[in-house]
Amino acid sequence: MSAGSIPFNRELEFEYDTAARITPLIRRVVANNPSSFTLHGTNTYIVGHGEVAVIDPGPEDETHTQALLTALKRERISHILISHTHTDHSPGAKSLAHATGAPVIGARARPIADGAKTVEAGEKNFTPDIELSDGDSFQGDGWTLTAIHTPGHMSNHHCFELAEETALFSADHV
């Protein structure tokens, strides 16, 4: 089969800012920020039950943040994980952290070249509570997420492996 014969399916059943169960441990909330870069919108993932991690809380958007808080009103966010600092993935972390007290975990963008003062395009003032590194592991009730440094899309890009379901949150690599 040639690469040209593999269909590219752009269809996705979802309702903006509504948590949808994807697997027993994973829920997805799609932000209402469709574009040529985000397709339908940024996918924010909730991992676990009771004590949860939120991966990529999305853009700074009050409606999206409120949707996450509503979906998790009887749960506690223990980790806010950022795959990378493009403005459709990380800015929503500030509001979510402020509302919940959960730490923001991510990596800062790197200089474009040695000694350069300019960083890659993205959230310029991103400052995580905990600096993320390759191999860092985070646990909650019934779940374990491990960070995998995957530069290419951005120097600070990380994927997250969910051991219990053999799943990978690839962020913008797929």
Side-chain angles (χ1 to χ4, degrees):
M1 178 184 289
S2 71
S5 65
I6 298 172
F8 181 63
N9 183 354
R10 292 176 174 258
E11 300 302 315
L12 177 69
E13 290 186 30
F14 69 95
E15 184 177 328
Y16 284 118
D17 295 318
T18 300
R21 179 152 317 282
I22 305 301
T23 72
L25 284 176
I26 303 169
R27 290 169 276 174
R28 178 187 63 224
V29 180
V30 180
N32 191 357
N33 63 334
S35 75
S36 58
F37 293 107
T38 64
L39 190 57
H40 302 295
T42 302
N43 291 312
T44 297
Y45 292 98
I46 301 166
V47 178
H49 305 284
E51 178 185 22
V52 304
V54 172
I55 300 173
D56 289 343
E60 182 59 52
D61 177 278
E62 185 177 332
T63 301
H64 187 65
T65 300
Q66 190 56 52
L68 292 170
L69 293 171
T70 299
L72 298 168
K73 65 183 168 195
R74 290 181 171 74
E75 300 180 87
R76 184 179 77 82
I77 299 172
S78 59
H79 303 81
I80 300 171
L81 298 167
I82 306 300
S83 64
H84 65 293
T85 53
H86 276 154
T87 57
D88 57 320
H89 288 260
S90 60
K94 290 177 196 141
S95 296
L96 193 60
H98 179 33
T100 65
V104 175
I105 304 162
R108 290 179 182 88
R110 307 296 188 252
I112 291 175
D114 289 337
K117 293 182 181 178
T118 304
V119 296
E120 297 168 285
E123 189 180 5
K124 301 288 186 211
N125 297 317
F126 177 77
T127 304
D129 298 311
I130 299 169
E131 184 75 25
L132 184 64
S133 295
D134 184 56
D136 285 350
S137 187
F138 306 94
Q139 295 182 323
D141 186 16
W143 55 266
T144 306
L145 288 165
T146 301
I148 304 165
H149 186 220
T150 52
H153 177 68
M154 205 169 167
S155 66
N156 65 352
H157 195 287
H158 286 76
C159 294
F160 298 99
E161 175 193 17
L162 175 58
E164 291 76 7
E165 292 189 347
T166 315
L168 181 72
F169 297 90
S170 60
D172 279 355
H173 276 297
V174 175

